[in-house]
Amino acid sequence: MFSSFINGGIAVLAYASLATAISSSAGRTVNVDGTFYYVPATAVSSLGVSWNELKVATSSGDDLIPMTVMSGDFSTFDASTLNSAIANFTAEDDVFSRGFLQAVYLISTTPSELHANLTDTLSTYGNKLFMVSATSNSSVSTTDCTVAIPNGPYFVSAYTGSIYQAFRLYSDFEGAFTEGTIGAEEGNYSTLSASIPGVQSPTIGVPSRLYYTKTKSQPLAGVRVGIKDIYDVAGTKRGCGSRAYYDLYPEANKTALAVQRIIDAGGIIVGKMKTSQFANGEAATADWVDYHSPFNPRGEGYSDPSSSSSGPGAGIGAYQWLDLALGSDTGGSVRNPAQVNGCYGNRPTHDLVALTNVMPLSPLMDTAGFLTRDADIWKAAGEILYTSNLTTFTSFPKTLYTTGFPVNASTEAEGVLLDFLVKLEGFLNTTSSVLDYDTMWSTSAQANSTSAPDLSSLLALTYPTLITKQQWELLGAPFLADYAAANDGRTPFIDPVPEFRWGYGKSKNTTLEDGIQNKTIFKDWWNESVMPKNAETCSENLLLYPGTLATPNYRNVYLDPPSLPAGWGVYNIAIFAGVPDMVVPVGQAPYNSTISNHIEYLPVAVDIIAAPGCDAVIFELASQLQAAGITRAPKAGSTMYRRDVGGRLE
Ligand SMILES: *[C@@H]1O[C@H](CO)[C@@H](O)[C@H](O)[C@H]1NC(C)=O
Ligand SMILES: *[C@@H]1O[C@H](CO)[C@@H](O)[C@H](O)[C@H]1NC(C)=O
Ligand SMILES: *[C@@H]1O[C@H](CO)[C@@H](O)[C@H](O)[C@H]1NC(C)=O
Ligand SMILES: *[C@@H]1O[C@H](CO)[C@@H](O)[C@H](O)[C@H]1NC(C)=O
Ligand SMILES: *[C@@H]1O[C@H](CO)[C@@H](O)[C@H](O)[C@H]1NC(C)=O
Ligand SMILES: *[C@@H]1O[C@H](CO)[C@@H](O)[C@H](O)[C@H]1NC(C)=O
Ligand SMILES: *[C@@H]1O[C@H](CO)[C@@H](O)[C@H](O)[C@H]1NC(C)=O
Ligand SMILES: *[C@@H]1O[C@H](CO)[C@@H](O)[C@H](O)[C@H]1NC(C)=O
Ligand SMILES: *[C@@H]1O[C@H](CO)[C@@H](O)[C@H](O)[C@H]1NC(C)=O
Ligand SMILES: *[C@@H]1O[C@H](CO)[C@@H](O)[C@H](O)[C@H]1NC(C)=O
Ligand SMILES: *[C@@H]1O[C@H](CO)[C@@H](O)[C@H](O)[C@H]1NC(C)=O
Ligand SMILES: *[C@@H]1O[C@H](CO)[C@@H](O)[C@H](O)[C@H]1NC(C)=O
């Protein structure tokens, strides 16, 4: 073993005495070269190296040594191999940093010849201790660790030789999360105990990306996932956007099936994310009373993030360290946040996955969908969540319809939208045409038999009827009863929107049966007459509509009191027909912000609708469009794409 004595940068900020069982079980927070890390209580492996050998790499007063594991087939390991490994780790991972080179542990699958020029190079990185696994069969071999561990940054205890994973800590400065989570015993999770400076927001911990390798059975290995706080995650509380609800009920004892499928596929659950109250539509300033609405990171950062998957939308739009979020869509709750926060987002075919251990809004329309910046992660996540309920297909539909598209571009946003349409037509080798489903309805036998001359007469009251009656019965009434029983007959505070909607649900103005009947009439008509299934292409056609056109919707606006979410629009098609409606970000466009008094950029997105069960067609299309460069995976932050020197978006 050889070592050098450069002053590395480790300082322990806060950790309690090892003698107290409670604080050691919650892990520790450590600072390496100015960046905060969480060190879990449970070790993943151990080195059989003594204190005398390890102490050279410690900093005064601390036993935790930042250490990098480098494993591979290294017949020779010299300065250039070391530099190459460091460059690779830095490019692939946000948790690794040079501070972790304080100790290096080399594991080679073949006997490794260590070159003399390593010593000087290691010392330039501040290395104090270089260890080689015994299986590396090297002249400086020391020890094997007890359990094989992959590449990446770790912490090793100089006292015990225990090796711990490193979680980088991030401040949730956009307020997208309710709390950070960390895996605990036997499939349970617990609230992350760490806290770092930030704007009164939770701290989220993410493990090194280097620990994980995606495989066929683990296509989401290492993918960092946030979960909308209406899904149960065993060991943590579910708040559903209500302080009273969070306080009243205990930690969940089961993980929702939808979340479990993500975990089984290798996804890392890093936190619970904000929902508007009980997943009802709420506007930032007017309606969010119990909690503050998350911040939409796009533009100057003061556009409404939309709802109800507000946390998932804002978090995916804001944080490059977050890969995927699980939201839910009853009436637009994945699609709208995906559009305005600049990411992919899907409302799937209804009933593709059972929503057990999930808060209900309207089980007749509730769906579980994803938000993400990457079409390939989107597709992989869809495949593991909806599994065999996704219908297979052999080619893309050739019939492409649009509705609501501008004829000519009168704004830059419309130009982005029309440019995408032209490229999509080229990709599918087809020409789009306008679908006038309103006229198709008015001339249908169903319009005649229901005495509903237009779709608005049939459906304007359907959505409010279904959600208010179902949520009042399944959630509102039992919650109020449970709360009263636990609080001497008291009523909990309810935000204005759910309060108003539950009031309508209790009224006798419409009936659930009437709503179900109208929904069924529309569903049957749409799926038979407008968008039938096709053996080869799954869906006979695809329908596109503009999702968002870079229009600011400032959050500092006082709105009217709540009203019924009544009406008819293109966004209702998927809700009533039970078909997929998926948001694809296609670009960004400028606006002159009245807040920053500067030109800023907001997302441009398109929605794509297909026949029931044909979600896989759109997942595949989105993936291929991204691979072909027709769309680009957006970046997190104020702008989705950066302009290169030629003015093109990258
Ligand atoms: C270290 O030595 C090896 C073998 O001679 C050589 O290939 C490599 O370029 C050297 N690297 C450095 C950084 O000097
Ligand atoms: C770094 O990555 C490159 C490209 O994948 C690879 O060729 C090289 O072997 C890697 N370096 C090390 C030390 O693993
Ligand atoms: C270690 O490698 C050398 C050659 O590099 C070989 O002669 C020796 O048998 C190996 N020892 C073990 C234990 O594998
Ligand atoms: C999991 O969490 C629940 C709820 O906090 C708790 O009752 C249970 O004991 C935990 N199970 C394990 C194995 O830690
Ligand atoms: C798990 O939680 C549910 C819902 O709160 C409860 O009905 C059930 O009794 C709990 N089961 C156990 C084993 O604690
Ligand atoms: C497929 O959907 C049905 C409901 O339509 C559900 O009962 C079933 O569990 C789903 N299959 C899988 C593998 O999730
Ligand atoms: C759209 O542009 C075309 C070609 O530039 C022009 O002929 C047509 O009149 C325009 N239509 C409208 C509605 O502006
Ligand atoms: C596109 O469609 C046209 C007309 O059907 C056909 O002639 C042409 O070969 C197609 N091109 C490709 C690339 O599929
Ligand atoms: C409407 O229904 C009536 C009676 O059911 C029928 O006589 C009439 O032809 C229908 N009109 C259309 C346009 O289908
Ligand atoms: C159902 O449709 C009829 C028209 O056929 C309409 O009068 C009624 O308001 C609708 N009710 C609901 C709940 O959608
Ligand atoms: C029910 O309908 C009546 C008459 O149109 C209206 O005055 C009342 O406000 C409605 N009730 C609710 C809860 O919407
Ligand atoms: C943006 O709006 C402000 C206020 O109306 C105006 O002063 C400014 O010139 C505008 N900037 C641009 C680039 O249009």
Side-chain angles (χ1 to χ4, degrees):
M1 190 194 317
F2 59 92
S3 56
S4 54
F5 291 84
I6 305 290
N7 283 331
I10 178 167
V12 168
L13 272 202
Y15 71 95
S17 152
L18 287 172
T20 61
I22 291 171
S23 50
S24 72
S25 76
R28 307 192 226 173
T29 302
V30 166
N31 182 319
V32 179
D33 291 342
T35 300
F36 293 95
Y37 295 87
Y38 172 74
V39 186
T42 308
V44 288
S45 191
S46 178
L47 280 175
V49 182
S50 72
W51 159 249
N52 271 336
E53 292 168 284
L54 288 171
K55 69 181 179 192
V56 297
T58 58
S59 303
S60 71
D62 185 34
D63 73 309
L64 284 178
I65 305 165
M67 175 178 85
T68 298
V69 169
M70 293 182 182
S71 61
D73 184 355
F74 304 117
S75 54
T76 61
F77 196 87
D78 65 6
S80 50
T81 327
L82 176 71
N83 286 329
S84 164
I86 292 169
N88 289 359
F89 289 2
T90 305
E92 289 166 32
D93 187 31
D94 54 341
V95 178
F96 171 80
S97 75
R98 288 185 175 193
F100 284 90
L101 298 171
Q102 188 154 318
V104 170
Y105 181 55
L106 182 72
I107 306 170
S108 180
T109 52
T110 50
S112 191
E113 171 88 36
L114 299 181
H115 197 273
N117 62 13
L118 256 182
T119 317
D120 284 349
T121 309
L122 278 167
S123 67
T124 64
Y125 287 119
N127 178 263
K128 296 177 177 180
L129 180 62
F130 187 85
M131 294 170 286
V132 181
S133 159
T135 51
S136 298
N137 185 15
S138 149
S139 56
V140 292
S141 70
T142 51
T143 179
D144 277 342
C145 49
T146 51
V147 177
I149 48 173
N151 275 338
Y154 293 87
F155 289 94
V156 58
S157 164
Y159 296 147
T160 64
S162 295
I163 301 173
Y164 301 90
Q165 287 190 330
F167 284 70
R168 182 165 176 182
L169 295 175
Y170 286 102
S171 168
D172 170 29
F173 54 82
E174 300 287 24
F177 285 84
T178 60
E179 60 186 45
T181 54
I182 187 102
E185 300 289 289
E186 294 173 34
N188 260 7
Y189 283 76
S190 58
T191 301
L192 183 70
S193 62
S195 182
I196 63 169
V199 275
Q200 299 174 22
S201 288
T203 291
I204 308 299
V206 298
S208 168
R209 294 190 186 280
L210 299 170
Y211 302 155
Y212 306 97
T213 305
K214 287 177 181 160
T215 61
K216 217 173 151 88
S217 64
Q218 298 246 294
L220 299 182
V223 168
R224 300 155 178 181
V225 192
I227 305 292
K228 185 179 185 177
D229 193 25
I230 66 164
Y231 291 86
D232 278 345
V233 174
T236 68
K237 284 196 165 204
R238 182 177 89 184
C240 305
S242 157
R243 300 168 74 219
Y245 189 98
Y246 183 93
D247 281 342
L248 182 63
Y249 295 113
E251 286 83 3
N253 56 25
K254 270 210 186 85
T255 293
L257 172 69
V259 179
Q260 192 60 49
R261 286 198 175 153
I262 297 169
I263 296 168
D264 293 345
I268 310 296
I269 309 302
V270 300
K272 299 292 289 286
M273 305 192 83
K274 278 186 190 164
T275 173
S276 49
Q277 199 169 72
F278 303 116
N280 285 277
E282 294 189 307
T285 290
D287 303 324
W288 287 69
V289 179
D290 252 4
Y291 293 98
H292 207 56
S293 165
F295 287 83
N296 180 336
R298 304 305 186 181
E300 82 292 282
Y302 280 83
S303 257
D304 195 303
S306 191
S307 67
S308 66
S309 305
S310 318
I316 291 293
Y319 307 133
Q320 206 67 39
W321 48 261
L322 182 69
D323 303 316
L324 180 70
L326 180 66
S328 69
D329 191 310
T330 305
S333 284
V334 165
R335 291 168 289 162
N336 297 336
Q339 290 158 356
V340 303
N341 294 285
C343 58
Y344 293 95
N346 67 302
R347 177 194 169 85
T349 300
H350 186 250
D351 221 9
L352 284 197
V353 57
L355 295 180
T356 45
N357 299 95
V358 187
M359 183 213 76
L361 175 49
S362 169
L364 291 161
M365 302 182 290
D366 290 345
T367 61
F370 292 107
L371 298 94
T372 178
R373 294 178 307 277
D374 183 78
D376 294 325
I377 291 179
W378 201 28
K379 182 181 157 208
E383 285 168 356
I384 68 97
L385 187 57
Y386 313 123
T387 65
S388 52
N389 278 340
L390 292 175
T391 309
T392 54
F393 64 102
T394 51
S395 60
F396 289 125
K398 284 280 177 203
T399 306
L400 197 59
Y401 289 128
T402 63
T403 183
F405 269 58
V407 178
N408 288 347
S410 59
T411 64
E412 195 168 324
E414 289 179 347
V416 169
L417 188 72
L418 291 174
D419 181 52
F420 169 76
L421 181 61
V422 167
K423 287 177 178 160
L424 178 65
E425 289 174 336
F427 183 82
L428 294 175
N429 193 15
T430 187
T431 307
S432 66
S433 58
V434 174
L435 180 71
D436 185 3
Y437 51 80
D438 284 310
T439 302
M440 287 171 78
W441 169 263
S442 6
T443 56
S444 71
Q446 288 90 337
N448 192 349
S449 63
T450 56
S451 313
D454 50 45
L455 286 167
S456 182
S457 327
L458 182 76
L459 298 168
L461 283 177
T462 308
Y463 178 73
T465 298
L466 298 182
I467 59 163
T468 62
K469 295 204 177 285
Q470 288 210 291
Q471 191 170 57
W472 168 247
E473 186 201 326
L474 298 171
L475 179 91
F479 168 47
L480 263 54
D482 289 349
Y483 187 89
N487 292 281
D488 196 23
R490 287 179 171 81
T491 302
F493 173 80
I494 306 294
D495 272 1
V497 169
E499 173 85 359
F500 174 85
R501 291 182 177 187
W502 292 353
Y504 185 80
K506 282 183 273 184
S507 81
K508 304 261 183 286
N509 283 23
T510 56
T511 67
L512 184 63
E513 292 66 33
D514 194 23
I516 292 173
Q517 183 182 314
N518 288 8
K519 177 182 180 297
T520 307
I521 290 166
F522 175 78
K523 177 182 177 161
D524 292 345
W525 171 74
W526 182 269
N527 292 335
E528 281 161 24
S529 308
V530 185
M531 198 173 284
K533 295 200 73 158
N534 176 299
E536 201 182 308
T537 61
C538 191
S539 188
E540 181 73 33
N541 54 59
L542 297 173
L543 173 62
L544 271 60
Y545 68 93
T548 188
L549 288 168
T551 318
N553 180 21
Y554 297 114
R555 61 183 286 148
N556 58 335
V557 174
Y558 293 90
L559 298 173
D560 296 329
S563 59
L564 216 52
W568 162 253
V570 66
Y571 51 89
N572 285 133
I573 290 170
I575 300 170
F576 298 138
V579 301
D581 179 343
M582 301 173 48
V583 176
V584 175
V586 297
Q588 64 186 7
Y591 69 105
N592 189 356
S593 167
T594 62
I595 290 173
S596 67
N597 290 316
H598 200 279
I599 296 296
E600 311 282 359
Y601 288 83
L602 283 176
V604 177
V606 73
D607 278 57
I608 306 178
I609 297 176
C614 302
D615 308 56
V617 174
I618 310 176
F619 282 128
E620 183 61 34
L621 181 61
S623 170
Q624 291 195 20
L625 291 174
Q626 188 175 285
I630 292 174
T631 58
R632 289 171 195 276
K635 294 180 173 62
S638 168
T639 55
M640 299 161 71
Y641 310 95
R642 283 189 270 281
R643 280 174 183 275
D644 72 8
V645 280
R648 285 170 52 88
L649 298 176
E650 291 298 330

